[in-house]
Amino acid sequence: FFKECFIGVIRILEADESSVEGGWKWALQVIDENFAVYQSFFNQAPVGSKQKDDYAHVLQKMKLLQFTFYDKKTESFDEAWKLLEESQQYKLKYTITDTQSEIIRNVSNKQMFTYEHVKQLEGKGSPSRLPIYIVGFPRSGTTLLERVLDAHPQIAGLGENSAIHGAINTIRDNMLKSLKTKDDATIRTSLNEMADEILDMMLYRWDAVKNSRKISADADDKKSAEPLRLVDKLNTNNRNVGYIHALFPHALIIHVVRNPMDSVFSSYKHDFNVVYTNQDGSTKNLDNMCKPESLATSYKAYRESMRLWDEVLPKGRIFHIRYEEMVDDLESVAKAVIKAAGLEWHDSILDFHKKKQAVNTFSSTQVRKGIYKSGIDAWKKYETQLQPIKTLLGPYAVSDVTTSMDYTAPVYD
C-alpha cells in the first residue's frame, strides 16, 4: 500500500502540486522520515524473500519521487540523475529483464512473413474496417493519438486491452496450417474465421468500456451511436503487424514514431511493471526499460520489427506518424488520420483533452493537459548521462520517419 501511494503522489504532484496538502515539501519530508527505516527492513529481510522485494519496491518509489522533484521542480539535473540511478538499482533487486523473447519473435516473424507467404495471404482476410491499430514503442505518443481519435463521435478507444495480442499464438499456428495447403479458399476461410473472432472480442470489450463510461463519464463523453471504428492501441503489437495485415487487410494500421532518444529516455525514467510467471508458478516483476542494456535491445528489436513490415508488406501499408509533427500541427495530422480511416472530420476532435474517460497508462496525466511540447528534446538535459545508451542504440539513435500525410487505403486484386 505504501509504495502504491507514492505512485499516486508522484502523478498528482506533477499535474498539480496544490492538490496535495503540503505539496513537494510534505512528500520529501515523508521520505526523510521513513527512508532509513525501510532501508533497515530491507537489509534484514531474507535474501530472495517477498518481504525483501517489497521493501526494495518502497525504497525505489522513494528515490523515484525524489528524482521527479529535482528533475521537474528544481531542474538540478545532476542530482536528479543520481537519484534516478539509485531508484533503478533498487528496482533491479526485485525485477528481471528478458529481451530474448523479443529477439526470438523477430526471427519467427521473418520466417513466417516471407514475400511468398505475404503474397499468398494478400487481400484474403476480412473486409472489415472496424479496427484501427496503433503501435509504437513505449512513451512514443500512442496514448495521445488514441485519445485524439476517441474524441471523434464515430471512433472509440479500447485502451490497452488488445484482442489480437492475446490470440497471436493461435493465429500463428492456424495461419501456418492454412499456408501449407497452398489453397486460396482454405487460406481465405481460415483468415476470415479468425478475424471474426477478433471482431467479436473487440465488440465485447467495447460493451465493457461503454458500460464503464455510463457510470463514470459525463454525457458529453458518451458516444451517440455504436462506433464505426474501434481503436486497438498496444505498443507491443508492433511485433504483430504482419498478422494484423493478414486478418484485416483493409484496417488502418498506425505507427507512431518519436525521437528515439526522447522515447528511450522517457521509458527509462518511467516505472513499467509486468507480472512474469515462472514455470513453477511463482511470479516476478518484469521491466526491460529499467536497465540500459535491455532498454537498448528492446528498442532495436522494435525498430527491426517495423523495418520488416515496411519491407515485406505492400508499399505504404502502414500509416506512420511522427510524434513531433503531431504535436506541432495536431489539426493537419488528425485530419489526415480521419481521412485515412474513411470518416468525416469533426472539430470536436481538437477538444480531446476535455473528455473525462480514463486512460490507464503513464501518459494519462499529460494527455489530460492537451498538447504540450515540453517533452520534445527532453533527453538533452541528460545528454552526457545518456551517452552510453545512445552508443548502444548505434544507428537506431536517430529516425528519419515522417508523417504519411498522403496515405491511401490499400487496394487488392
mmCIF file of all heavy atoms in Angstrom, residues 14 16 27 41 108 130 139 177 180 189 218 235 249 274 281 285 309 326 335 348 361 363 369 371 383:
data_model
loop_
_atom_site.group_PDB
_atom_site.id
_atom_site.type_symbol
_atom_site.label_atom_id
_atom_site.label_comp_id
_atom_site.label_asym_id
_atom_site.label_seq_id
_atom_site.Cartn_x
_atom_site.Cartn_y
_atom_site.Cartn_z
ATOM 1 N N GLU A 14 3.057 16.074 -10.057
ATOM 2 C CA GLU A 14 3.450 16.516 -11.396
ATOM 3 C C GLU A 14 2.339 17.318 -12.056
ATOM 4 O O GLU A 14 2.592 18.312 -12.748
ATOM 5 C CB GLU A 14 3.800 15.304 -12.267
ATOM 6 C CG GLU A 14 5.183 14.747 -12.042
ATOM 7 C CD GLU A 14 5.539 13.731 -13.109
ATOM 8 O OE1 GLU A 14 5.065 12.583 -13.026
ATOM 9 O OE2 GLU A 14 6.291 14.080 -14.028
ATOM 10 N N ASP A 16 -0.503 18.799 -10.481
ATOM 11 C CA ASP A 16 -0.968 19.981 -9.752
ATOM 12 C C ASP A 16 -0.519 19.871 -8.298
ATOM 13 O O ASP A 16 -1.164 19.221 -7.477
ATOM 14 C CB ASP A 16 -2.484 20.093 -9.842
ATOM 15 C CG ASP A 16 -3.032 21.328 -9.129
ATOM 16 O OD1 ASP A 16 -2.223 22.190 -8.732
ATOM 17 O OD2 ASP A 16 -4.266 21.422 -8.974
ATOM 18 N N ALA A 27 5.916 15.667 0.806
ATOM 19 C CA ALA A 27 6.324 14.378 0.240
ATOM 20 C C ALA A 27 7.785 14.068 0.560
ATOM 21 O O ALA A 27 8.134 12.941 0.943
ATOM 22 C CB ALA A 27 6.102 14.374 -1.271
ATOM 23 N N PHE A 41 14.723 -2.393 7.200
ATOM 24 C CA PHE A 41 13.862 -3.550 6.937
ATOM 25 C C PHE A 41 14.398 -4.358 5.752
ATOM 26 O O PHE A 41 14.435 -5.598 5.784
ATOM 27 C CB PHE A 41 12.438 -3.092 6.620
ATOM 28 C CG PHE A 41 11.685 -2.512 7.787
ATOM 29 C CD1 PHE A 41 10.604 -1.665 7.581
ATOM 30 C CD2 PHE A 41 12.054 -2.808 9.092
ATOM 31 C CE1 PHE A 41 9.901 -1.131 8.636
ATOM 32 C CE2 PHE A 41 11.357 -2.270 10.167
ATOM 33 C CZ PHE A 41 10.285 -1.435 9.947
ATOM 34 N N SER A 108 11.140 -15.326 -35.717
ATOM 35 C CA SER A 108 9.935 -16.063 -36.116
ATOM 36 C C SER A 108 9.149 -15.308 -37.170
ATOM 37 O O SER A 108 8.651 -15.902 -38.142
ATOM 38 C CB SER A 108 9.065 -16.319 -34.883
ATOM 39 O OG SER A 108 7.824 -16.879 -35.241
ATOM 40 N N LEU A 130 -13.474 -1.983 -39.207
ATOM 41 C CA LEU A 130 -13.781 -1.626 -37.822
ATOM 42 C C LEU A 130 -12.533 -1.363 -36.983
ATOM 43 O O LEU A 130 -12.460 -0.360 -36.274
ATOM 44 C CB LEU A 130 -14.630 -2.718 -37.171
ATOM 45 C CG LEU A 130 -15.001 -2.478 -35.690
ATOM 46 C CD1 LEU A 130 -15.967 -1.307 -35.562
ATOM 47 C CD2 LEU A 130 -15.593 -3.751 -35.071
ATOM 48 N N ARG A 139 6.076 5.298 -24.629
ATOM 49 C CA ARG A 139 6.358 6.723 -24.498
ATOM 50 C C ARG A 139 6.602 7.399 -25.848
ATOM 51 O O ARG A 139 7.400 8.322 -25.959
ATOM 52 C CB ARG A 139 7.554 6.959 -23.567
ATOM 53 C CG ARG A 139 7.462 6.243 -22.231
ATOM 54 C CD ARG A 139 6.322 6.738 -21.403
ATOM 55 N NE ARG A 139 6.506 8.132 -21.034
ATOM 56 C CZ ARG A 139 5.552 8.921 -20.541
ATOM 57 N NH1 ARG A 139 4.326 8.452 -20.401
ATOM 58 N NH2 ARG A 139 5.811 10.168 -20.208
ATOM 59 N N LYS A 177 -0.897 -23.565 -40.775
ATOM 60 C CA LYS A 177 -1.606 -24.739 -41.290
ATOM 61 C C LYS A 177 -2.271 -24.421 -42.623
ATOM 62 O O LYS A 177 -2.206 -25.221 -43.571
ATOM 63 C CB LYS A 177 -2.664 -25.196 -40.278
ATOM 64 C CG LYS A 177 -2.098 -25.836 -39.023
ATOM 65 C CD LYS A 177 -3.218 -26.213 -38.058
ATOM 66 C CE LYS A 177 -2.657 -26.766 -36.752
ATOM 67 N NZ LYS A 177 -3.751 -27.076 -35.782
ATOM 68 N N LYS A 180 0.254 -24.009 -45.543
ATOM 69 C CA LYS A 180 0.830 -25.284 -46.009
ATOM 70 C C LYS A 180 -0.055 -25.958 -47.061
ATOM 71 O O LYS A 180 0.427 -26.727 -47.890
ATOM 72 C CB LYS A 180 1.064 -26.211 -44.825
ATOM 73 C CG LYS A 180 2.251 -25.800 -43.955
ATOM 74 C CD LYS A 180 2.436 -26.747 -42.775
ATOM 75 C CE LYS A 180 3.627 -26.325 -41.925
ATOM 76 N NZ LYS A 180 3.811 -27.198 -40.722
ATOM 77 N N THR A 189 -10.759 -18.787 -45.895
ATOM 78 C CA THR A 189 -11.700 -19.206 -44.856
ATOM 79 C C THR A 189 -11.064 -19.109 -43.472
ATOM 80 O O THR A 189 -11.675 -18.600 -42.528
ATOM 81 C CB THR A 189 -12.169 -20.652 -45.104
ATOM 82 O OG1 THR A 189 -12.857 -20.710 -46.359
ATOM 83 C CG2 THR A 189 -13.103 -21.121 -43.994
ATOM 84 N N ASP A 218 -19.189 12.029 -18.042
ATOM 85 C CA ASP A 218 -20.277 12.953 -18.307
ATOM 86 C C ASP A 218 -20.962 12.584 -19.619
ATOM 87 O O ASP A 218 -20.429 11.838 -20.440
ATOM 88 C CB ASP A 218 -19.744 14.380 -18.409
ATOM 89 C CG ASP A 218 -19.322 14.913 -17.058
ATOM 90 O OD1 ASP A 218 -19.639 14.278 -16.026
ATOM 91 O OD2 ASP A 218 -18.673 15.971 -17.045
ATOM 92 N N ASN A 235 1.369 -0.937 -27.719
ATOM 93 C CA ASN A 235 2.694 -0.725 -28.329
ATOM 94 C C ASN A 235 3.316 -2.011 -28.813
ATOM 95 O O ASN A 235 3.895 -2.067 -29.908
ATOM 96 C CB ASN A 235 3.611 -0.043 -27.316
ATOM 97 C CG ASN A 235 3.226 1.398 -27.060
ATOM 98 O OD1 ASN A 235 2.891 2.124 -27.982
ATOM 99 N ND2 ASN A 235 3.252 1.817 -25.811
ATOM 100 N N PRO A 249 -6.882 -6.815 -43.949
ATOM 101 C CA PRO A 249 -6.104 -6.115 -44.993
ATOM 102 C C PRO A 249 -6.595 -4.698 -45.293
ATOM 103 O O PRO A 249 -5.872 -3.923 -45.920
ATOM 104 C CB PRO A 249 -6.265 -7.030 -46.212
ATOM 105 C CG PRO A 249 -7.509 -7.823 -45.944
ATOM 106 C CD PRO A 249 -7.547 -8.021 -44.468
ATOM 107 N N VAL A 274 5.450 -5.466 -15.274
ATOM 108 C CA VAL A 274 4.651 -6.558 -15.821
ATOM 109 C C VAL A 274 4.869 -7.782 -14.943
ATOM 110 O O VAL A 274 6.013 -8.092 -14.574
ATOM 111 C CB VAL A 274 5.063 -6.889 -17.276
ATOM 112 C CG1 VAL A 274 4.289 -8.088 -17.790
ATOM 113 C CG2 VAL A 274 4.848 -5.684 -18.178
ATOM 114 N N GLY A 281 5.191 -21.500 -11.231
ATOM 115 C CA GLY A 281 4.000 -20.796 -10.795
ATOM 116 C C GLY A 281 4.277 -19.532 -10.003
ATOM 117 O O GLY A 281 3.367 -18.724 -9.779
ATOM 118 N N ASN A 285 8.597 -9.535 -11.042
ATOM 119 C CA ASN A 285 8.356 -8.300 -11.782
ATOM 120 C C ASN A 285 9.274 -8.233 -12.999
ATOM 121 O O ASN A 285 10.465 -8.532 -12.917
ATOM 122 C CB ASN A 285 8.608 -7.094 -10.877
ATOM 123 C CG ASN A 285 8.049 -5.814 -11.462
ATOM 124 O OD1 ASN A 285 6.849 -5.717 -11.718
ATOM 125 N ND2 ASN A 285 8.903 -4.827 -11.677
ATOM 126 N N TRP A 309 8.212 -4.992 -41.524
ATOM 127 C CA TRP A 309 6.875 -4.771 -42.084
ATOM 128 C C TRP A 309 6.925 -3.796 -43.258
ATOM 129 O O TRP A 309 6.216 -3.990 -44.265
ATOM 130 C CB TRP A 309 5.923 -4.257 -41.012
ATOM 131 C CG TRP A 309 5.876 -5.122 -39.777
ATOM 132 C CD1 TRP A 309 5.969 -4.716 -38.483
ATOM 133 C CD2 TRP A 309 5.728 -6.552 -39.733
ATOM 134 N NE1 TRP A 309 5.901 -5.775 -37.625
ATOM 135 C CE2 TRP A 309 5.747 -6.924 -38.368
ATOM 136 C CE3 TRP A 309 5.588 -7.545 -40.697
ATOM 137 C CZ2 TRP A 309 5.634 -8.244 -37.953
ATOM 138 C CZ3 TRP A 309 5.482 -8.870 -40.295
ATOM 139 C CH2 TRP A 309 5.497 -9.211 -38.946
ATOM 140 N N MET A 326 2.934 15.680 -35.025
ATOM 141 C CA MET A 326 1.578 15.661 -34.464
ATOM 142 C C MET A 326 1.414 16.743 -33.401
ATOM 143 O O MET A 326 0.393 17.446 -33.365
ATOM 144 C CB MET A 326 1.280 14.278 -33.860
ATOM 145 C CG MET A 326 -0.079 14.168 -33.197
ATOM 146 S SD MET A 326 -0.561 12.471 -32.812
ATOM 147 C CE MET A 326 0.760 11.953 -31.699
ATOM 148 N N LYS A 335 -6.529 15.348 -39.203
ATOM 149 C CA LYS A 335 -7.385 15.311 -40.392
ATOM 150 C C LYS A 335 -6.912 14.233 -41.366
ATOM 151 O O LYS A 335 -7.737 13.544 -41.989
ATOM 152 C CB LYS A 335 -7.402 16.678 -41.079
ATOM 153 C CG LYS A 335 -8.288 17.695 -40.371
ATOM 154 C CD LYS A 335 -8.329 19.029 -41.115
ATOM 155 C CE LYS A 335 -9.318 19.982 -40.453
ATOM 156 N NZ LYS A 335 -9.375 21.305 -41.117
ATOM 157 N N SER A 348 -14.724 18.694 -32.921
ATOM 158 C CA SER A 348 -14.658 18.285 -31.511
ATOM 159 C C SER A 348 -13.392 17.493 -31.205
ATOM 160 O O SER A 348 -12.971 17.400 -30.042
ATOM 161 C CB SER A 348 -15.880 17.437 -31.157
ATOM 162 O OG SER A 348 -15.914 16.253 -31.950
ATOM 163 N N THR A 361 -2.568 4.543 -18.476
ATOM 164 C CA THR A 361 -1.149 4.411 -18.762
ATOM 165 C C THR A 361 -0.423 5.569 -18.106
ATOM 166 O O THR A 361 -1.028 6.497 -17.576
ATOM 167 C CB THR A 361 -0.854 4.462 -20.289
ATOM 168 O OG1 THR A 361 -0.997 5.804 -20.740
ATOM 169 C CG2 THR A 361 -1.782 3.551 -21.060
ATOM 170 N N SER A 363 0.923 7.855 -19.495
ATOM 171 C CA SER A 363 0.730 9.071 -20.272
ATOM 172 C C SER A 363 -0.558 9.804 -19.907
ATOM 173 O O SER A 363 -0.831 10.869 -20.436
ATOM 174 C CB SER A 363 0.687 8.722 -21.770
ATOM 175 O OG SER A 363 1.799 7.956 -22.140
ATOM 176 N N LYS A 369 -3.803 17.156 -20.140
ATOM 177 C CA LYS A 369 -3.382 18.547 -20.264
ATOM 178 C C LYS A 369 -3.527 19.052 -21.691
ATOM 179 O O LYS A 369 -3.399 20.245 -21.948
ATOM 180 C CB LYS A 369 -1.908 18.696 -19.853
ATOM 181 C CG LYS A 369 -1.644 18.480 -18.368
ATOM 182 C CD LYS A 369 -0.155 18.644 -18.101
ATOM 183 C CE LYS A 369 0.184 18.430 -16.631
ATOM 184 N NZ LYS A 369 1.640 18.547 -16.386
ATOM 185 N N ILE A 371 -2.227 19.202 -25.721
ATOM 186 C CA ILE A 371 -0.948 19.177 -26.425
ATOM 187 C C ILE A 371 0.082 20.017 -25.665
ATOM 188 O O ILE A 371 -0.169 21.150 -25.290
ATOM 189 C CB ILE A 371 -1.110 19.733 -27.852
ATOM 190 C CG1 ILE A 371 -1.995 18.790 -28.681
ATOM 191 C CG2 ILE A 371 0.244 19.921 -28.517
ATOM 192 C CD1 ILE A 371 -1.387 17.441 -28.954
ATOM 193 N N GLU A 383 22.067 14.635 -21.702
ATOM 194 C CA GLU A 383 22.789 14.134 -22.873
ATOM 195 C C GLU A 383 24.063 13.387 -22.484
ATOM 196 O O GLU A 383 24.373 12.329 -23.043
ATOM 197 C CB GLU A 383 23.118 15.292 -23.812
ATOM 198 C CG GLU A 383 23.718 14.856 -25.135
ATOM 199 C CD GLU A 383 23.729 15.968 -26.163
ATOM 200 O OE1 GLU A 383 23.369 17.111 -25.809
ATOM 201 O OE2 GLU A 383 24.089 15.689 -27.315
#
